[in-house]
Amino acid sequence: MDPRRSARTVSDPKVRQVGFFTPAAPPERSCSDPPRQLDPIQSLSPSSAQVNDHSPSVDSVSPVMIPPPPHNNSDTLFRTDLQVTSPKTAFSYSAKTVTLPTENEDVTSSLSPSRKVVTVKSSSSYPCVKASSVPASELTTVSVVNLPPGISEKAGGASVEVLNDRPVSSKSLKEKTSKAERRALQEAQRAAKAAAKAEGTKASSAASKVVTSANTKPSKAAKPSSQKNDGSQVAAFEKKVGDRAPEKDRKKDAPHPRMQYDDTSRVEKAKKRAVVKQTEVRNRVELFRHLPQYEHGTQLPDLETKFFELDPMHPAVYKVGLQYLSGDIWGGNARCIAMFQAFKEAIKDYSTPPEKTLIRDLTARISSYVSFLIECRPLSNSMGNAIKFLKNRIAKLPLVLSESEAKATLMSDVDRFINEKIIIAEKVIVKHAVTKIRDGDVLLTYGASSVVEMILLHAHELGKQFRVVVVDSRPKLEGQLLLRRLVRKGLSCTYTHVNAVSCIMQEVTRVFLGASSVLSNGTVYSRVGTACVAMVAHAFRVPVLVCCEAYKFHERVQLDSICFNELGNPEAISKVHGREDINYLDGFVNQEKLQLLNLVYDATPSDYISMIITDYGMIPPTSVPVIVREYRREHLWS
Amino acid sequence: MDFQVVVLAGGNSKNLNPLVSKDVPKPLLPVANRPVLYYVLHQLGQSNLKDLIVVVEGEDAALLVGGWISKTFVDGLHVEIAAVPEDIGTAGALRAISHHLTAKDILVVSGDLVSDVPPGAVAATHRRHDAALTAMLCSVPVSGSSDSGSSGGKDKTKKSGRYNIIGLDPCKQFLLHIATGDEIEKDSRLQKHILHAVGQMEIRSDLMDAHMYAFKRSALQEVLDQKDTFQSLKQDVVPYLVRSQLKSEVLLNGISQAEENGNEKLSSLNNQVLVYQILANASTPSFHERYSMEPDGSSQSRKTHKCCAYIASNSSYCVRLNSIQAFMDINRDVTGEADHLLSDTSSDRDNIIGPSPKLGAKTTVGPQCILGEGSEIGDKCQVKRSVIGRHCRIGSHVKIVNSVVMNHVTIGDGCIIQGSVICNNVQLQERVVLKDCLVGAGFVVTMGNEYKGESLARKEK
């Protein structure tokens, strides 16, 4: 360890890399499953260990690696398993086709005795039922008829799967080898540098070999030699296969480009897919043309009328979508919780359709839910993270699990996410933040953050003497709700609007802010107006503490609030709720020269932020990338 | 979507007296040559609600209705018919089939509703607010009250009391007060605590309860069980639910939450509470929540349930067939302005003529008319804004304006019919003049008679 350390500190002064390499090793191995490749970070993290873990060809060569015995076994096991189960499913299915009509009969007969229930549906319904069931059953009988081949057919299905797997694995192989290549090059350079440093490479490698099991870094150091060797061997093969791979990788790794809504052709396409009717607002502010903005009045009624027609949508998801759309639920945490609870319901009621696998089908199902929710309201970063988590959990489900087991695991995963990442995280944040509140403080908060509220209440419970200034802004005036709850608990509060923030800031000693997301350059993405408050606080030399759960951290870098943002309902700012007499803009809204802009978020530069309080402790905004890098893994794969 | 649909197609209606009979129960009363029930079922079927329970009063009527349904909706719908004894009211009917209701929410639709308001909208509003009751309100049809000159002079006296008085909250989302026509004559009682909780109530009389409700099943069944005396949904159950929304005895929220909590492990109970709290804090509290919180501030001590209203937009069509006036109006509208309700007929023409009518020479059929199949019309007739059923025989020199002629009617030469309803199997002999009349089924009008504003029906034997 030591020699390496010293060598490092001398050789490359990039301090950032410390975060990159240190404790990554143990999780690395555990998460060697293919789904990992989905994540962009993963591709960034140059883990050769996992490369070896996977592809036997490389595996045989590298001497350092522990062979991956369970993997192969399990794989064959699945295959046999599939073969065993497939006829069973076929049988049960055919049986079902037999019972279906009788089931219906049952219903009718059960209806009849108690009260006179004449069932008329006979002629009407049966054909329809049969119509729906018979073709399906025919399909299955076809597969039953060639049962011996049927198995092979099924096995064919399985083999299709295997095939499906294979391209993936081969792709992963490609990508990995190419990556390995890159790695090899990099390592070679580094090794050369190290050699130039007159440090015996042998010594280092030897030292590293000793530490191998504990740390990946040494293995990497050891890698160049071995990798080089096999690299030369595999090189030809790689060259052939690996040529195009990087491009694909890049495509896959690149964050999915958000739609630019000033691109008319794409917007048209997306509109065709859309479930929610999206009429674009005509007068949009030039600078924000690339963001979606729809006529708010028309969406909700239209979606409501489709209530029964959206068959595949689970009612719980649908309800959450409606609530997003109508603004019944807001706030990052609440939206995330609501979404996850809806997904949990959906998973609970989910049953795998015949001839499909749970993992794939459920992922697709969840994706369709997500796109529906996006149509209702764009997702926040935190929700994106949460969805990523769920999808990873689904993809990582072991194939041996039965459907009910898989569902139970997923549901407990969802619960765990809500508990650990939101509830417990908030508790930890509260614990941290309360230490920053002293008697006599005047705390300012903006908007209504759930964490900040908990902090204030907890500090009050601890008997600290402090005052609270709640700063609010139109059009949502959510601060009033916070104010109401705080005052009810007996805190002494001052309420003002953001216009007056510069006046009130003089007496404030600390500013507590919530955040929708914290980006990896330390920018805090939050309710519009936060930046203003933070800036004023900075000018008054008042410390600004941002409270944000770590699951809201995002690796994106954002410098302004223009590229990514959300446009709210422009009507909300042109009208004053509850004051019909203020109607100066009535009839002006559709004028061509008038453009209304109701931004939802803004980006606070990290300069204005003294500290970010998160569930991993209190960190300066410059350390956000470390959290993102180090704990991202844990978020997604733990 | 976990909704069960109950269509209440009552048997006989006193208001429609000469028109409905044993052979033609109310749900089968033809509107533009289709039974009125068709419009409801079709609308439901369009919204993908294919499992329906149709409740009919009286077994004979049930058989008739059942026969018709099985004939008409062979392909699409899965309909079960329940016959309930007569005169037990709508609430009684629901009570009778209560044990068949299993879904989380129940959509109750009146069988005489002719409307193009999608039921999904009501259901969605219901779900979004997690309400115990959602009622669809629509604006009172203007046409019905204004140009009532033509027909149905009988029930004009009654009509003044047909309006509802409906109280809404400022956002027009919640139902705060509902009183149906009959009660309005007396003093109307407003609940003070509701007014106090909401702060502002908008009272409107231009809205009509369209008799399409979404109920939470548990709430509905509880009310039906507890209150044995409740007869009618509209006059008893709905006002009761609205009245008691802040002093809920229905226990829905409490139970459901307790159940949910009970399922969780005890250790995570605390977290669960926190989750609820976060969710609750994140949404704008309706007055229900504010009210239930008020006394001590922390826990939900008072039980409440929500009663929502879905207000159909003005452009949509929504009328109930509950009077002869309405019957005339609907017939006129369905052939005229609201012809999209007749979905499968071609709407590009002004009038709809069945496949094989025989029109005599110089006979004109004006716009907004419907002629059923197999009808024959003689020479030099005029038909304007009227509906003529199947297999009618109409002589020559007949003038039919603003009228409804049902099936198998024989009309002699030289008759003049204005603003009248002529039921099945009626015989009008030659030169009969009818103005604003109702002719019951099987009646025979002898030659040369003139009637004005009368109701003609066969005597009960």
Side-chain angles (χ1 to χ4, degrees):
Chain A
M1 224 33 193
D2 262 351
R4 192 170 56 81
R5 260 262 171 102
S6 59
R8 273 280 271 357
T9 44
V10 181
S11 64
D12 46 359
K14 284 181 221 154
V15 190
R16 283 277 168 97
Q17 289 212 334
V18 173
F20 219 103
F21 288 101
T22 26
E28 201 96 82
R29 280 219 59 250
S30 66
C31 16
S32 55
D33 267 280
R36 279 198 88 197
Q37 293 138 18
L38 290 174
D39 197 82
I41 290 196
Q42 198 276 319
S43 66
L44 286 179
S45 81
S47 52
S48 58
Q50 161 214 16
V51 170
N52 293 340
D53 220 0
H54 232 271
S55 50
S57 64
V58 187
D59 184 39
S60 58
V61 184
S62 92
V64 192
M65 287 327 299
I66 302 143
H71 215 270
N72 273 337
N73 282 348
S74 61
D75 218 311
T76 50
L77 213 165
F78 297 154
R79 245 170 262 170
T80 52
D81 215 46
L82 261 176
Q83 278 173 353
V84 172
T85 52
S86 53
K88 208 188 281 172
T89 56
F91 280 133
S92 67
Y93 196 59
S94 63
K96 213 185 272 169
T97 58
V98 175
T99 54
L100 226 159
T102 57
E103 234 170 50
N104 255 337
E105 215 109 60
D106 249 351
V107 172
T108 66
S109 62
S110 74
L111 283 179
S112 52
S114 45
R115 190 151 292 273
K116 268 267 165 80
V117 178
V118 190
T119 30
V120 196
K121 59 153 192 245
S122 56
S123 61
S124 65
S125 67
Y126 277 163
C128 124
V129 167
K130 265 170 203 161
S132 65
S133 70
V134 163
S137 65
E138 264 170 21
L139 267 183
T140 49
T141 47
V142 164
S143 69
V144 167
V145 163
N146 10 338
L147 196 81
I151 283 184
S152 72
E153 237 250 295
K154 267 287 163 135
S159 74
V160 165
E161 242 163 62
V162 171
L163 273 182
N164 274 350
D165 275 343
R166 236 169 233 160
V168 170
S169 65
S170 67
K171 209 184 281 170
S172 69
L173 204 155
K174 284 178 217 165
E175 131 191 351
K176 270 160 201 161
T177 45
S178 65
K179 209 182 284 169
E181 206 178 16
R182 270 183 272 149
R183 150 63 43 74
L185 218 144
Q186 198 183 356
E187 294 295 338
Q189 284 168 350
R190 195 166 293 159
K193 216 189 258 175
K197 278 280 171 265
E199 173 86 359
T201 35
K202 255 189 188 177
S204 81
S205 66
S208 67
K209 255 175 200 168
V210 177
V211 206
T212 307
S213 55
N215 205 331
T216 29
K217 169 68 181 159
S219 81
K220 283 168 198 161
K223 200 40 104 12
S225 52
S226 63
Q227 191 80 48
K228 260 288 167 75
N229 294 347
D230 87 271
S232 59
Q233 287 164 3
V234 193
F237 160 73
E238 266 174 14
K239 273 282 149 60
K240 269 184 277 165
V241 195
D243 261 350
R244 304 178 88 190
E247 258 170 61
K248 260 188 204 164
D249 291 347
R250 219 173 297 136
K251 257 183 205 163
K252 209 196 262 174
D253 293 345
H256 187 67
R258 285 215 192 175
M259 206 162 74
Q260 302 289 302
Y261 283 80
D262 40 3
D263 184 346
T264 34
S265 62
R266 290 202 177 184
V267 169
E268 285 303 315
K269 254 186 219 167
K271 229 183 248 174
K272 268 177 209 158
R273 287 196 304 267
V275 177
V276 184
K277 184 182 162 199
Q278 300 174 329
T279 337
E280 302 246 351
V281 171
R282 272 179 301 127
N283 301 337
R284 282 181 295 173
V285 181
E286 184 60 44
L287 199 54
F288 293 94
R289 282 266 161 93
H290 58 284
L291 298 173
Q293 181 163 31
Y294 307 114
E295 302 247 4
H296 274 251
T298 58
Q299 282 177 299
L300 187 61
D302 189 71
L303 187 61
E304 281 185 341
T305 58
K306 285 191 198 157
F307 186 68
F308 291 110
E309 289 153 41
L310 299 171
D311 241 352
M313 210 54 65
H314 191 272
V317 179
Y318 191 89
K319 182 179 163 188
V320 170
L322 276 178
Q323 283 173 333
Y324 286 175
L325 190 57
S326 60
D328 284 352
I329 288 188
W330 71 70
N333 283 338
R335 274 167 73 196
C336 196
I337 292 175
M339 178 182 74
F340 257 27
Q341 283 182 340
F343 283 172
K344 196 176 140 194
E345 289 282 304
I347 291 172
K348 197 161 127 198
D349 296 344
Y350 173 83
S351 64
T352 320
E355 315 208 350
K356 284 194 177 164
T357 51
L358 179 133
I359 292 177
R360 280 158 220 279
D361 190 57
L362 190 57
T363 313
R365 197 68 72 85
I366 296 280
S367 299
S368 74
Y369 294 159
V370 169
S371 59
F372 167 73
L373 292 181
I374 289 177
E375 282 165 23
C376 292
R377 192 183 157 183
L379 298 185
S380 61
N381 286 337
S382 56
M383 290 160 79
N385 284 343
I387 290 166
K388 217 180 265 176
F389 163 82
L390 181 62
K391 283 194 178 170
N392 264 294
R393 297 305 305 176
I394 296 175
K396 264 195 69 178
L397 283 177
L399 278 172
V400 272
L401 284 188
S402 72
E403 189 180 303
S404 57
E405 281 170 336
K407 278 159 65 178
T409 352
L410 283 179
M411 278 155 62
S412 74
D413 277 342
V414 167
D415 273 341
R416 206 158 50 93
F417 186 90
I418 294 177
N419 271 340
E420 284 180 10
K421 300 297 175 206
I422 301 178
I423 303 298
I424 297 179
E426 283 192 346
K427 284 181 180 166
V428 174
I429 291 174
V430 168
K431 211 176 281 170
H432 285 308
V434 161
T435 61
K436 293 291 167 195
I437 300 178
R438 280 171 298 188
D439 283 349
D441 265 346
V442 179
L443 310 176
L444 183 143
T445 182
Y446 176 72
S449 157
S450 56
V451 195
V452 173
E453 181 184 346
M454 284 169 75
I455 292 168
L456 297 176
L457 292 179
H458 188 64
H460 181 71
E461 273 167 26
L462 291 182
K464 303 210 174 187
Q465 299 297 317
F466 61 94
R467 282 198 306 124
V468 181
V469 178
V470 178
V471 180
D472 204 355
S473 74
R474 288 201 59 229
K476 276 195 172 165
L477 297 179
E478 57 215 352
Q480 291 187 352
L481 295 172
L482 173 70
L483 191 72
R484 198 188 172 90
R485 294 192 287 264
L486 291 182
V487 171
R488 192 184 286 148
K489 290 275 163 121
L491 282 80
S492 72
C493 297
T494 310
Y495 178 74
T496 183
H497 274 202
V498 75
N499 329 5
V501 71
S502 62
C503 310
I504 200 82
M505 196 58 85
Q506 281 165 349
E507 54 170 327
V508 172
T509 56
R510 270 176 195 28
V511 174
F512 279 93
L513 296 175
S516 164
S517 177
V518 175
L519 309 177
S520 65
N521 59 343
T523 303
V524 171
Y525 188 67
S526 185
R527 167 115 166 72
V528 68
T530 308
C532 171
V533 171
M535 189 171 68
V536 173
H538 182 72
F540 278 85
R541 305 263 181 280
V542 179
V544 176
L545 311 174
V546 172
C547 310
C548 183
E549 299 85 349
Y551 86 102
K552 290 179 174 174
F553 284 35
H554 200 272
E555 74 264 10
R556 193 201 297 152
V557 170
Q558 199 172 329
L559 300 176
D560 54 35
S561 45
I562 299 171
C563 305
F564 297 105
N565 210 321
E566 192 185 324
L567 297 179
N569 184 4
E571 282 230 326
I573 53 170
S574 66
K575 283 188 182 141
V576 182
H577 184 70
R579 286 286 303 272
E580 262 92 48
D581 52 324
I582 302 183
N583 52 0
Y584 311 122
L585 284 180
D586 276 10
F588 262 70
V589 176
N590 287 326
Q591 288 238 334
E592 206 156 301
K593 297 278 180 187
L594 175 69
Q595 296 161 341
L596 296 168
L597 177 65
N598 179 14
L599 277 180
V600 176
Y601 295 107
D602 68 7
T604 310
S606 59
D607 305 347
Y608 299 147
I609 293 158
S610 328
M611 182 188 281
I612 295 176
I613 305 177
T614 170
D615 27 339
Y616 297 112
M618 295 181 269
I619 55 166
T622 46
S623 307
V624 173
V626 179
I627 300 264
V628 171
R629 225 183 273 132
E630 297 308 312
Y631 294 101
R632 166 51 43 102
R633 187 159 297 133
E634 185 194 323
H635 285 310
L636 296 184
W637 292 295
S638 64
Chain B
M1 283 296 179
D2 206 11
F3 259 92
Q4 240 177 333
V5 183
V6 178
V7 179
L8 296 176
N12 295 312
S13 165
K14 303 257 173 350
N15 293 336
L16 295 165
N17 211 358
L19 303 188
V20 297
S21 60
K22 275 217 164 115
D23 303 327
V24 184
K26 186 182 166 192
L28 296 184
L29 204 61
V31 171
N33 286 341
R34 288 167 198 273
V36 67
L37 193 57
Y38 170 85
Y39 296 94
V40 174
L41 298 186
H42 180 71
Q43 178 75 22
L44 291 170
Q46 290 262 299
S47 322
N48 221 356
L49 289 165
K50 310 224 157 158
D51 280 315
L52 314 172
I53 300 177
V54 175
V55 184
V56 185
E57 277 181 4
E59 294 190 11
D60 302 338
L63 278 176
L64 281 172
V65 173
W68 171 76
I69 290 176
S70 62
K71 211 166 55 197
T72 316
F73 293 99
V74 181
D75 43 352
L77 301 177
H78 175 196
V79 181
E80 280 158 315
I81 292 215
V84 297
E86 294 178 36
D87 297 328
I88 57 169
T90 43
L94 275 182
R95 206 174 280 137
I97 59 154
S98 164
H99 53 280
H100 295 306
L101 303 178
T102 50
K104 190 175 157 216
D105 294 291
I106 312 290
L107 194 67
V108 180
V109 188
S110 169
D112 58 5
L113 184 70
V114 179
S115 132
D116 58 356
V117 180
V122 180
T125 311
H126 184 71
R127 274 287 160 81
R128 182 156 67 86
H129 292 290
D130 201 19
L133 158 74
T134 304
M136 182 171 100
L137 307 175
C138 58
S139 44
V140 174
V142 187
S143 56
S145 49
S146 62
D147 64 344
S148 54
S150 55
S151 75
K154 278 244 144 185
D155 59 356
K156 255 181 204 165
T157 45
K158 271 187 184 176
K159 220 160 37 109
S160 58
R162 184 131 287 150
Y163 298 112
N164 302 314
I165 287 193
I166 285 165
L168 297 170
D169 78 317
C171 314
K172 300 188 175 59
Q173 285 182 325
F174 295 108
L175 205 56
L176 306 180
H177 179 71
I178 188 164
T180 43
D182 311 339
E183 297 171 26
I184 295 172
E185 304 297 327
K186 307 174 217 157
D187 297 337
S188 208
R189 267 197 197 177
L190 287 180
Q191 300 288 313
K192 202 161 112 194
H193 63 276
I194 293 182
L195 197 57
H196 183 70
V198 185
Q200 201 177 345
M201 189 192 289
E202 192 179 312
I203 295 205
R204 299 176 63 159
S205 61
D206 60 337
L207 290 175
M208 185 185 84
D209 181 3
H211 215 296
M212 183 192 277
Y213 308 112
F215 288 100
K216 189 173 273 186
R217 179 180 56 90
S218 53
L220 180 65
Q221 286 179 337
E222 191 118 354
V223 172
L224 291 178
D225 285 350
Q226 283 176 358
K227 313 278 174 183
D228 294 331
T229 51
F230 280 3
Q231 283 263 314
S232 146
L233 274 186
K234 183 173 182 159
Q235 279 163 17
D236 298 325
V237 176
V238 171
Y240 170 76
L241 278 174
V242 172
R243 215 162 45 222
S244 64
Q245 58 184 315
L246 292 182
K247 292 177 177 169
S248 178
E249 292 159 28
V250 194
L251 293 173
L252 359 113
N253 294 333
I255 282 182
S256 66
Q257 254 175 31
E259 275 172 10
E260 278 169 34
N261 286 347
N263 291 341
E264 305 300 327
K265 282 169 277 176
L266 272 176
S267 58
S268 65
L269 194 78
N270 196 16
N271 290 343
Q272 214 64 30
V273 171
L274 268 175
V275 168
Y276 280 118
Q277 206 175 332
I278 288 176
L279 279 180
N281 288 351
S283 54
T284 342
S286 70
F287 64 90
H288 296 99
E289 280 123 32
R290 285 206 300 273
Y291 184 80
S292 64
M293 297 284 274
E294 238 154 10
D296 60 341
S298 57
S299 62
Q300 295 218 340
S301 59
R302 303 186 193 176
K303 294 203 172 63
T304 58
H305 61 253
K306 292 182 187 170
C307 297
C308 294
Y310 175 82
I311 302 178
S313 66
N314 278 331
S315 57
S316 54
Y317 186 81
C318 176
V319 183
R320 285 189 65 197
L321 202 170
N322 49 10
S323 66
I324 288 168
Q325 174 67 48
F327 177 73
M328 297 298 293
D329 288 339
I330 292 171
N331 265 304
R332 193 189 54 229
D333 292 338
V334 167
T335 51
E337 60 192 34
D339 57 352
H340 55 277
L341 289 168
L342 293 167
S343 55
D344 48 341
T345 47
S346 56
S347 57
D348 49 338
R349 278 177 301 159
D350 287 339
N351 53 17
I352 300 154
I353 297 175
S356 60
K358 291 178 188 160
L359 296 183
K362 291 192 182 170
T363 287
T364 55
V365 178
Q368 302 185 8
C369 285
I370 293 184
L371 249 65
E373 61 179 306
S375 288
E376 295 175 15
I377 299 183
D379 299 338
K380 293 185 184 173
C381 291
Q382 278 192 337
V383 181
K384 285 181 190 167
R385 292 193 294 280
S386 298
V387 177
I388 294 174
R390 288 184 292 275
H391 304 291
C392 292
R393 290 165 177 274
I394 298 175
S396 36
H397 298 284
V398 174
K399 195 174 171 189
I400 302 176
V401 181
N402 273 336
S403 299
V404 178
V405 177
M406 294 186 195
N407 305 333
H408 303 287
V409 175
T410 313
I411 298 178
D413 294 346
C415 288
I416 297 174
I417 300 163
Q418 278 188 325
S420 301
V421 181
I422 296 167
C423 294
N424 291 339
N425 302 322
V426 169
Q427 275 192 22
L428 301 186
Q429 294 178 348
E430 284 151 34
R431 292 190 302 288
V432 169
V433 178
L434 295 177
K435 198 176 178 205
D436 302 339
C437 288
L438 310 169
V439 185
F443 195 80
V444 179
V445 183
T446 46
M447 193 188 300
N449 276 339
E450 286 192 27
Y451 291 101
K452 200 171 180 185
E454 281 185 66
S455 166
L456 310 169
R458 246 183 339 183
K459 298 277 179 295
E460 297 287 327
K461 284 160 196 168

